[in-house]
Every structure is written in structure tokens, then in C-alpha cells.
Amino acid sequence: MRFRQSRSLGSQANTVVGGLASSVDDRTGEVALRTARTLAVAVRLLRIPSAVVLAVPIPFILTTLLLAASAAGGMRLALLVVGVAMVVVSGAFLGRRRRILQAVEDPDLLADELRVLINLTGKVEETRGALGQIAGGGGWRVLGRLQGVWKGTRMTGSWIDQIGDLRRARYFAPPKIGTTISLTIAALWLVPISIVIALLALVGTIAGSL
């Protein structure tokens, strides 16, 4: 029953988005399609690098948690807290990566939602022009430029509610684009941090056993 209801809500959202997209002018449609294709290429280029960023800290996080299990007192608590925090960051980045990859699977559907998104800003000409300039470069550069497009956009409750129905485009607009950049930076920092913490925990464990 829940599955049917979820499907029904998803179909209704697609119908609404499709209706709004059909009312958008041709120029906006062209910009949206070009932007969607650029985003699809950029995200796919990042598939392997982002997988590496995810994979590298895993053995060090596991080492930290295993050492925490064998430690005692304050050392055990500290390692557990740090280990769990690293797991949370890694898990959040994994989830966001998966959803963004899904968002660009069909560039045409993403373009439809971007058309609606441009209209929702209330500044069609300005937003359309800004989105039209994000092409060029690839990977993180495109995402960084995209974040710059939305600087100064007012984050009202109405805006957040409206873009919530855009299941693909919402990941390339505020507030989610800012969260994505923040999670990416955190995941990148997690690589050296996890290595250092695992080594310190190992040294502490060896020293404590002597």
C-alpha cells in the first residue's frame, strides 16, 4: 500500500513538473537543456574520483573503530566518538553522491526540471544568463560555478517547498548545492584526518600495552 502511494505521489509530481515545463519559453528550454547536459557530463567525470574519496578512508575508519573496541576508559570513548563522526561524514557523502548520480541519469528529464527551476527564481533573464555560462571546464569546476550562480538568492520557505518537488534539479540549487559542496569538502578532509587518527590510535594502543 505504501509503495503504491509513493508511486502515485511520484507520478503526480512528474505531471506537475511536466505541465510547468511546457509553459516555459524556447530560449529558457535551450539553456536548461544545455545546462543539464553539462551537469550530466561533469557528474559522470566525477564518478571515479568521488568513489576514490569514499574508499580511501574506509580502512582507516575501521582501524580506528577496532582500536576503540580494544581500548579502555577515556581513550575508548574518544576513539568511538571520532570513529562514529567519520562514519557519519562518509555515509552522508555516499548518500549525496548516489542521489546526484541518479539525478543526471536522464538529462532530458533534468532539463525539464531546470526549466521550472529558472521560472521559480522570479529572475528568469538573470538566472537563465547565469546558467548559460556554467559550461566549460568539468568536474568540481562546474559545481563551483553552479554554486556561484545562486549567490544572493533568497532562501524563503516557499522556495524550499517549491523546489522540493523537483526530484532531480533540487540537487543543483540552494540549499542542496551548498550542502553538496560542504559534504565534498568534508569528505576530502576526511582522507588525511582518518589516516592521522588511525595512526595516532595505533601508536597509543601500542604504547598502552607496553
Side-chain angles (χ1 to χ4, degrees):
M1 185 73 176
R2 188 178 297 175
F3 174 72
R4 289 181 181 176
Q5 184 180 14
S6 174
R7 242 178 118 181
S8 173
L9 290 174
S11 300
Q12 289 175 15
N14 284 336
T15 301
V16 171
V17 169
L20 289 171
S22 65
S23 65
V24 176
D25 63 274
D26 290 341
R27 189 178 165 198
T28 298
E30 291 172 6
V31 170
L33 182 58
R34 188 165 69 249
T35 302
R37 288 174 177 171
T38 300
L39 289 172
V41 172
V43 170
R44 286 165 188 164
L45 284 173
L46 291 171
R47 183 189 296 267
I48 294 177
S50 60
V52 171
V53 170
L54 271 170
V56 170
I58 290 176
F60 301 102
I61 294 173
L62 291 176
T63 298
T64 300
L65 291 173
L66 288 172
L67 291 173
S70 62
M75 182 70 167
R76 180 178 187 179
L77 179 60
L79 289 178
L80 278 175
V81 170
V82 173
V84 169
M86 291 192 294
V87 169
V88 169
V89 171
S90 187
F93 183 64
L94 173 63
R96 182 53 58 91
R97 175 183 180 272
R98 180 177 59 83
R99 287 188 288 272
I100 289 178
L101 285 172
Q102 290 173 343
V104 301
E105 282 179 353
D106 190 327
D108 291 333
L109 291 178
L110 176 59
D112 287 341
E113 293 191 8
L114 286 174
R115 291 173 192 145
V116 177
L117 185 66
I118 292 171
N119 270 15
L120 290 177
T121 63
K123 302 176 181 178
V124 175
E125 289 288 339
E126 181 181 336
T127 308
R128 185 170 58 194
L131 286 177
Q133 295 175 12
I134 71 165
W140 303 122
R141 217 169 146 192
V142 168
L143 295 180
R145 288 184 181 182
L146 188 62
Q147 187 182 32
V149 167
W150 303 112
K151 281 186 178 176
T153 301
R154 293 188 62 189
M155 296 305 306
T156 63
S158 174
W159 164 267
I160 295 173
D161 289 340
Q162 287 175 313
I163 68 168
D165 292 331
L166 305 177
R167 295 184 298 166
R168 300 169 183 84
R170 63 184 176 180
Y171 291 107
F172 304 103
K176 289 188 180 293
I177 183 63
T179 305
T180 298
I181 298 295
S182 298
L183 284 174
T184 300
I185 293 172
L188 288 169
W189 272 105
L190 187 59
V191 175
I193 288 173
S194 64
I195 295 172
V196 171
I197 290 175
L199 289 175
L200 289 175
L202 183 60
V203 170
T205 302
I206 293 173
S209 65
L210 294 177

